[in-house]
Amino acid sequence: MPESLMQSCIKVANEAPSDIRSNLIRAWDNFGQETIDSCTKTSEMKACLFSLCWFHAVVCGRRRFGQQGWSRKYSFNTGDLLICANVLRSYLDANDKVPWDDLRYIFGEIMYGGHVTDAWDRRILKEYLEVYFRPELISGATGGDDDLELGPGFKSPSPNDMSYSDYTQYIDESLPSESPSLFGLHSNAEIKALSEGIDSLFLNILGMGGIGNSAGAAPPASAGNSTSS
């Protein structure tokens, strides 16, 4: 594409967020109260759907840590989240109890796991789901100290007294500050991620500066343009 055309056009970029708060809000905004009401087990649906959005936010946000996050750059996307939500609703409607093993297998081995090619990365997905999808998500959600902890200092709220909008407010008020511990990573992982981000930023600035200087430089005078006295 010609550079002159690119310079005269309006550029629009849609970049996925890297922090867990933005990823969680973005994931939760894909649904609404009607999504919860469409399931016959509303309490289970609320708790499991919120945990699913948290899981999606974690696996997407983990990419910013480079190879400390994932061995490869996997294309986890909103489509995976929406399909898993549909599967969740169908399985809750079709079973008397929450089929935890089935949900973990479908989410970790088929939907999100379908992107994963590394055995260690697949193990990470499995461990996340073992923590986020278990009976304590429902039975322990009483609004007390025994609630299931999705991350350090961030518990899954009791779904009995929460509406869809209440969950949104809960994210704004209760989510701790961004830290690698929310992803299950060591605090030093943040140092390497920031260092690599700064290096990439300055390399891009240097590259753009080189193009701008060459384009704005005056053309050299040629022998044919010179005038004789």
Side-chain angles (χ1 to χ4, degrees), residues 156-221:
S156 176
S158 173
N160 299 324
D161 304 322
M162 300 280 284
S163 64
Y164 174 83
S165 57
D166 291 333
Y167 273 97
T168 304
Q169 184 178 358
Y170 180 75
I171 296 172
D172 293 333
E173 296 177 353
S174 302
L175 185 64
S177 301
E178 185 82 8
S179 67
S181 62
L182 293 176
F183 300 89
L185 295 170
H186 192 273
S187 58
N188 288 340
E190 185 76 13
I191 300 174
K192 182 173 178 58
L194 293 174
S195 299
E196 291 178 350
I198 291 297
D199 291 342
S200 176
L201 174 63
F202 279 104
L203 285 174
N204 288 331
I205 291 175
L206 289 173
M208 294 172 63
I211 294 174
N213 290 337
S214 61

Side-chain angles (χ1 to χ4, degrees), residues 22-99:
S22 299
N23 272 307
L24 181 57
I25 293 175
R26 188 179 189 182
W28 188 245
D29 283 345
N30 285 286
F31 310 100
Q33 186 63 43
E34 63 278 3
T35 306
I36 297 170
D37 294 338
S38 65
C39 181
T40 57
K41 300 180 179 65
T42 55
S43 294
E44 290 84 349
M45 182 66 180
K46 282 185 286 187
C48 292
L49 184 62
F50 187 72
S51 184
L52 175 62
C53 289
W54 174 262
F55 168 72
H56 177 81
V58 168
V59 298
C60 289
R62 194 180 172 98
R63 288 183 294 204
R64 72 185 177 93
F65 294 101
Q67 290 192 337
Q68 292 182 96
W70 299 112
S71 300
R72 297 173 177 83
K73 293 183 178 180
Y74 300 117
S75 57
F76 302 121
N77 55 67
T78 305
D80 300 321
L81 174 65
L82 296 177
I83 294 174
C84 287
N86 291 333
V87 170
L88 172 64
R89 184 179 63 248
S90 299
Y91 270 69
L92 289 178
D93 288 339
N95 294 273
D96 296 332
K97 297 182 179 180
V98 181

Side-chain angles (χ1 to χ4, degrees), residues 94-105:
N95 294 273
D96 296 332
K97 297 182 179 180
V98 181
W100 300 108
D101 292 336
D102 293 346
L103 293 176
R104 285 194 293 261
Y105 180 82

Side-chain angles (χ1 to χ4, degrees), residues 108-164:
E109 298 292 337
I110 300 175
M111 300 304 179
Y112 286 86
H115 298 284
V116 177
T117 57
D118 184 84
W120 289 104
D121 291 341
R122 189 176 294 276
R123 180 178 177 180
I124 292 173
L125 279 180
K126 181 180 178 181
E127 291 300 321
Y128 275 145
L129 291 168
E130 289 287 346
V131 173
Y132 301 151
F133 285 88
R134 52 182 177 174
E136 291 81 0
L137 184 65
I138 307 297
S139 61
T142 59
D145 295 335
D146 295 333
D147 290 356
L148 177 65
E149 207 171 46
L150 298 175
F154 188 65
K155 296 183 178 181
S156 176
S158 173
N160 299 324
D161 304 322
M162 300 280 284
S163 64
Y164 174 83

